[in-house]
Amino acid sequence: YLDRVVQEIVESERTYARDLRSIVEGYLGKIIDAEEPVLRPEQVSALFGNIEDIYELSSTLLQNLESCASDPVAVAVCFVTRSQEFAIYTQYCNNYPSSVAALTECMRSKVQARFLRECQERLRHALPLGAYLLKPVQRILKYHLLLQEIARHFEHKAGDDYELVLEAIDTMTCVAWYINDMKRKHEHAIRQQV
């Protein structure tokens, strides 16, 4: 069962990295390469935030996870050693409401909406861009749950190996908590301005 949990972490990261690449190359890349600007620079910035940084982190994490050879402790170490890097998700999650607003604005423009639909069709995505832009928010809040599955099925619930798994859970739980806390503060600040 532990092998299946580790495999699920690797497989889901592979799918996630592929989805991120499709956003970066299939949408953002096409917007940048368009001969005529389809979206204004501020729309592009609001829409995609720091998605390229997140794609880079996910790609590196995936390479690390793939080299773990189904070792749950090695998987845990991947998260512990990269713990500081996950802070980039805070920026993305804080920007997410702006991303939704920018996408809503784009969908009101016939030219922009058609362009985004064409990108979606070219990528053969069943879901529109908005569903893909939500994925980093969902993913960062799921890591600690996946790691908890490793701990739940760990054979020896004592020793250095188990401590590393617990440290990984703690690390990613703190990241999720911090992101939720920053999101609350951000929303509170917006309410205060209103």
Side-chain angles (χ1 to χ4, degrees):
Y1 187 84
L2 201 50
D3 286 348
R4 281 210 312 268
V5 172
V6 170
Q7 199 57 39
E8 162 65 16
I9 292 172
V10 176
E11 287 297 322
S12 61
E13 193 66 30
R14 189 175 292 127
T15 302
Y16 175 57
R18 188 180 61 234
D19 289 342
L20 290 173
R21 186 178 73 230
S22 72
I23 297 169
V24 170
E25 294 175 1
Y27 284 97
L28 185 56
K30 297 294 181 210
I31 290 167
I32 292 167
D33 294 344
E35 288 179 26
E36 292 287 317
V38 184
L39 280 81
R40 298 186 312 277
E42 65 273 14
Q43 284 179 307
V44 175
S45 179
L47 193 55
F48 296 101
N50 63 335
I51 194 98
E52 290 169 296
D53 298 333
I54 289 179
Y55 170 54
E56 198 174 305
L57 173 59
S58 176
S59 299
T60 307
L61 179 63
L62 177 59
Q63 288 173 348
N64 296 151
L65 291 170
E66 288 174 334
S67 68
C68 290
S70 296
D71 177 2
V73 178
V75 166
V77 169
C78 289
F79 287 93
V80 172
T81 56
R82 298 205 119 45
S83 62
Q84 300 301 309
E85 296 172 48
F86 287 103
I88 63 171
Y89 276 90
T90 306
Q91 181 185 340
Y92 187 87
C93 293
N94 281 338
N95 180 69
Y96 183 71
S98 301
S99 178
V100 171
L103 185 58
T104 302
E105 181 187 338
C106 290
M107 296 316 281
R108 287 191 188 117
S109 157
K110 282 188 174 127
V111 173
Q112 292 175 340
R114 185 174 61 242
F115 178 85
L116 294 176
R117 273 196 301 278
E118 286 168 1
C119 289
Q120 179 185 345
E121 287 168 18
R122 200 177 307 111
L123 292 164
R124 293 186 176 96
H125 281 175
L127 299 170
L129 175 60
Y132 284 84
L133 292 172
L134 178 61
K135 286 180 185 259
V137 177
Q138 294 170 324
R139 186 68 180 169
I140 193 63
L141 299 175
K142 191 173 183 187
Y143 284 126
H144 72 284
L145 301 173
L146 292 166
L147 291 164
Q148 283 172 354
E149 282 298 302
I150 288 178
R152 190 172 294 126
H153 300 283
F154 211 77
E155 237 176 273
H156 307 288
K157 300 208 187 294
D160 292 345
D161 286 354
Y162 187 66
E163 288 301 318
L164 273 168
V165 172
L166 293 180
E167 185 179 351
I169 293 168
D170 191 44
T171 296
M172 297 316 293
T173 300
C174 286
V175 169
W177 182 88
Y178 181 73
I179 285 171
N180 280 327
D181 190 51
M182 292 306 290
K183 194 168 174 282
R184 274 191 299 277
K185 287 179 180 169
H186 184 73
E187 289 166 355
H188 180 71
I190 289 170
R191 278 196 303 274
Q192 293 295 334
Q193 287 173 347
V194 171

